[in-house]
Amino acid sequence: MNSSETKMPATISAWFITVLVVYFYGYISYDILSGSAGDPEIIAYLLLGVVAIGVSGALIVRFRLDKMSFVLLTMAGAQGVATIVMMVIKFGSLGPTLLVNGLLIVGLLGAGLAFRNAAQTTGSDHG
């Protein structure tokens, strides 16, 4: 198999995971803003802030596979910080807060690792 044949499935899976995670962010943010949380504006801004880090990071690195891995791993770290802030703001719903944010962090880590794998599969740093 040549490089383009091995590159395509890895790149598609990395982008697919990323789109799913960003869709989940949008769904969670909409659900929170519709009134299902105690401090919806603060929590939604935290979630959308993590997405803003991802979007700006992707534009800065010009969607290069190896650099996208770093952007998504940075988003996972930012989501971890946002989780801590959410727990301080509304400690009463610790279980759901940890569950949802844990899923987001795992999704971001998975997408970051998928991009790293795609970059290593291609043998180059271009997307």
Side-chain angles (χ1 to χ4, degrees):
M1 284 198 328
N2 63 28
S3 176
S4 65
E5 289 174 356
T6 59
K7 172 185 172 182
M8 206 53 145
T11 305
I12 289 172
S13 66
W15 280 110
F16 181 73
I17 293 169
T18 304
V19 168
L20 283 178
V21 171
V22 171
Y23 176 77
F24 191 53
Y25 268 105
Y27 176 78
I28 295 297
S29 297
Y30 175 77
D31 192 43
I32 288 169
L33 285 174
S34 68
S36 65
D39 293 321
E41 293 84 13
I42 296 171
I43 295 170
Y45 286 136
L46 288 170
L47 292 176
L48 294 174
V50 175
V51 172
I53 289 171
V55 169
S56 61
L59 293 173
I60 290 169
V61 302
R62 297 183 187 136
F63 300 99
R64 291 175 40 194
L65 294 178
D66 61 333
K67 305 299 181 187
M68 282 300 295
S69 172
F70 178 74
V71 169
L72 286 158
L73 295 177
T74 302
M75 286 177 69
Q79 185 63 47
V81 171
T83 302
I84 293 169
V85 171
M86 286 181 216
M87 289 185 340
V88 168
I89 290 173
K90 49 180 260 163
F91 188 73
S93 62
L94 181 64
T97 300
L98 289 177
L99 177 67
V100 170
N101 287 290
L103 289 172
L104 289 170
I105 291 169
V106 167
L108 290 168
L109 290 174
L113 294 175
F115 271 104
R116 182 185 300 171
N117 181 39
Q120 289 173 350
T121 301
T122 63
S124 68
D125 61 351
H126 295 81

